[in-house]
Amino acid sequence: MEKSMALFTDLYEVTMAQSYFKMGNIMATFELFVRRLPSNRGYLIAAGLEDVCNYLLNFRFDKNDLEFLEEKGFEKNFLKFLSRVRFTGDMWALPEGELVFQNEPIIRITAPIIEAQFFETFIINAINFQTLITTKASRIVNSAKGRPIIDFGSRRAHGVDAGLKAARASYIGGCIGTSNVLAGKLYGIPIFGTMAHSYIEAFSSEREAFKAWLRTEGIDTVLLIDTYDTLRGVKNAIEAVEELTGRKELKGVRMDSGDMLSLSKEVRRFLDEAGFNSTKIFVSSGLDEYVIDEYLSKGAQIDVFGVGSSLVTSDDAPKTDMVYKLAESEENGRLVPRMKIAEGEKATLPGAKQIFRVEEDGKYVKDILGLTDENLNGERKLIQIFKDGRLVYKLPKLDEIREKAKKELEKLPEKYRRIRNPEAYPVEVSDKVMDLGRQLMRKLLP
Amino acid sequence: MEKSMALFTDLYEVTMAQSYFKMGNIMATFELFVRRLPSNRGYLIAAGLEDVCNYLLNFRFDKNDLEFLEEKGFEKNFLKFLSRVRFTGDMWALPEGELVFQNEPIIRITAPIIEAQFFETFIINAINFQTLITTKASRIVNSAKGRPIIDFGSRRAHGVDAGLKAARASYIGGCIGTSNVLAGKLYGIPIFGTMAHSYIEAFSSEREAFKAWLRTEGIDTVLLIDTYDTLRGVKNAIEAVEELTGRKELKGVRMDSGDMLSLSKEVRRFLDEAGFNSTKIFVSSGLDEYVIDEYLSKGAQIDVFGVGSSLVTSDDAPKTDMVYKLAESEENGRLVPRMKIAEGEKATLPGAKQIFRVEEDGKYVKDILGLTDENLNGERKLIQIFKDGRLVYKLPKLDEIREKAKKELEKLPEKYRRIRNPEAYPVEVSDKVMDLGRQLMRKLLP
C-alpha cells in the first residue's frame, strides 16, 4: 500500500476537521478497543498493525482528493491546510500477535485532533478485520489438535483485500499456509493446492483423470476423490497409482463433500488395506472449529484440513464492536481526560491508558488497565510505534508474529481459550482511572 | 482496477493449468451459481459484474508473477505460455441489479479451459460479496418502509476493498448513500456525515460543542445528542440553535446509543414541543432489517437510519455457497455436458444453461433453468457480455443499476421478499437438463 488512503474515511471526519480548523487544531488522544469480545471468544489476537503503519507513513491528500472535497463544498483555505497534513504524532500499540481483551487499547494515538480523527475509519477497518480472522484461525488451529490447517477461503472473502489479509491473518493465527497465490507472493506465506472437481470432470472417467494428473505431476500430489463417489474415488486413486508406477505411495487424497466422519474412516481403511499407509487424508468443505472438534472427538481419520468461508468471514462472529474513542483532549494548553457517558454499554474510560498484564508461573492471570503514568504490577503491553510522526518500531517478520501469537496463547489458561463458553479473562481497571471517571461524570452530568 | 489480478487465484488453478498445458487446452464452459439461498433469503440481487469485466479486460501475468511461479517450481515452457494468456472467450451474465435464485447461473464463461479455470477465485470473490451486500441492503431498505438508509459501515467492513464495494452494493440495494468519502469519489455515490462523539467530548460541555459547530456549519446540519444523556442532549441542541439563531430550525439530531424506541418518541416530543417540527431524527448503532422492522412496528419516531456493521458484513449471512462449476468440456472437438455427482447437495446440473423467467400480470411467478438452445416460455435473463474476449456490453451507470434493482424487486411477490421465512421462489429445471443429468449419471456411475 504505497498510495495514500486518506480519503478512505467517513465524511464526518472531514466536516469535523473543517470545524477544528476554524476553531483551533487542539491536541488529542484516541484509543482503539473492543467493548466486548464476540460470542464464544475468550481472547482476541491483535493483528493489522503493519497496515496501519504503512497507512500513517503514506497519509496525505493528493490533488484529486482535494478537488473532490472542493466539489463537495469544503472551503479553499481549509483544503489548502489539508494538502499539508501528515501524521506528526505519537502512536503506541499492541504488537501483532499479542493477546487483547475487552476495553483494552490496541492502539493509542496522540496528535493534533484533525490528524488523529481522520485515521479512525481506516484504523478500525484494518485492525478489526485482521484481529477477527487471526483469532478465528487460532481457534480452528486449536480445534485440530496439531493437525495442519490451510486457508482455502479467498473466493468467499469479502473482496480482494479481505482475501489477501485473511491469508496473512490466518497464517499469524497458526495456519500452515494458504491457497491464494498472490498472498504467497506478497507475504511469503507457503501456498497449497492441487486439483478441483472440474479437472476430474473434464475427462470421460475419473480413473483417466487421475492417470493424466499422475503422469504430469507424479505421486507427491493430492488426488481429489469425491467428484462422483468417494469410495470408488479412493479405489480409482489407488489403482491409478499402482498401474502407473507400481508403487504404493501417494501424498494424499482429498474429500470435499459427503459425511466426512464416516467416509474418512472408510477411506483410511481402503488406503491401509491397499498398503497406502503413508497417504494422508485431506478434507475441505463446511469446516470450522466446531465441526473439526466434533469430527476429531468422534474419531474421524483426517490428517489435514482446508478451511474456507468460515475462516475468512469469521462467520460466527463477522464483526466486533471495535471503536476508536477520544481519551484526552487539549484544554488551556494541556491534555485533559475525556469520556463518553451515554446510556447502556457505550460509556468509555477516560485518560491515556496502558495495559499491565500480570503473569504467574508462566501463565497470564489478569490484566489491569491503568493510566500511562501509573506504576502497576505486570508487563506494560503497549509499546511505542511512532514518535513525532516517525516510525520508531522495527516491523517484525511475519514468522516472528506467528511465533509470538503461538507463545502468547500458550500462556493463556485453557479456560479462556475454550471454543465454546470460555470464561472471561479478568481485566481490572485501576483506581486512578475509576476516580477520573467519577470526577468527569459529576462534572458532565451535574 | 487497472492492474492485473491474475495471481489472485488458488494455487490449484495453476497446477491444473500446467497439466492442461501438457495435455491440451480444451474448450470448457463454467457456470457461477449458489446452490441454496442463505437463511431468511427469498432472493438475491446480482452485483459485482463490473469488477469482473474489468478483471477480464486486464487479465495477464506480468513478469513478477511469472518469476514467482517459477520459484514455486512451475516449468519454463508453461510459464512462457502463461505470459501470453488473455481472456479470449465468451461470457454471458445476469446484469447487475437482476434477481437471482438457487442453482441459476449468474455468469457463464466458455473459453479455453486454462483461461476459464483461472478466473474462478476472483469471480466468486467479486460476485459473492457484492451480491450478498446488495441483497442485505435491499432487505434493510424494505424494512424501513420508505425511510432513507445510509451506509455507515466502512470501518467494520472486511478490509478497504470491502468498504468501498459495500458502499457501491448498498447503493444498488437502495441506500441513499454512504459515509465513505472515497466511495463517493470513485462511484459518484452521495456522501453523508456530520459529527462524532469525540467532537462533543473535545469541548468542556455539550452545549458549547453544539454552539461551536453551529457557528461554523449553520443549521442545515445534524447534531449528535447522545454523548452524555440523550434527553439533555436534545434540549441542549434546541437551546443552542435558539440562542445562536433565534430560529426553530435544524436539519436533524442523531442518536447512537440507548433504547432508541422509547428515546426516539421522547426526542420527537421534545422537538415538537419546542417548535422544531421539521427537525428529523437520525438513528445509528446496532441496526439491521430485523431491528428496524421491530422499531417501526412499535411506533419508533425515526426518520433516517444509518446502518453499519450488519449491512457491510451481511452478518446474519456473511457467506453463500457460491461456486463456479464445469458445465461442459471439449471431447473429440465438441463441447459435451459435464456434471459433479458427489454425495448430498453438491451435485451440479449439466450443460450450458439459460434462465427463463416467467412473468404474469407484472409479477414474476417462476423461473425455468433450460439449456441455451431450448425455446422455453419466459424472458432469457442471461445476456452476452464478452464475445471472443471483447466486451460487447455497455456497462450501465450505477444509478441505472440501482433503478433496475428497484424495479425487479417490485415484480417479485411479497411472499418471496419477506425478511423472515420467505417462501422459496420456484426454479424449475427443464426436461432436457434433467434427461442429460440422468444420462450422465448412468455413464459415470454405471
Side-chain angles (χ1 to χ4, degrees), chain B residues 149-195:
Chain B
I149 306 284
I150 304 168
D151 157 37
F152 274 7
S154 300
R155 61 188 62 186
R156 305 273 176 73
H158 288 184
V160 167
D161 190 34
L164 297 172
K165 286 180 176 168
R168 180 180 185 273
S170 299
Y171 189 66
I172 295 175
C175 290
I176 61 164
T178 178
S179 60
N180 189 297
V181 182
L182 187 53
K185 181 185 168 203
L186 292 176
Y187 303 124
I189 302 171
I191 51 178
F192 294 90
T194 48
M195 58 164 63

Side-chain angles (χ1 to χ4, degrees), chain A residues 45-62:
Chain A
I45 301 176
L49 184 62
E50 185 173 310
D51 282 331
V52 170
C53 291
N54 288 326
Y55 164 79
L56 292 174
L57 288 170
N58 291 298
F59 186 88
R60 58 182 48 84
F61 292 91
D62 69 23

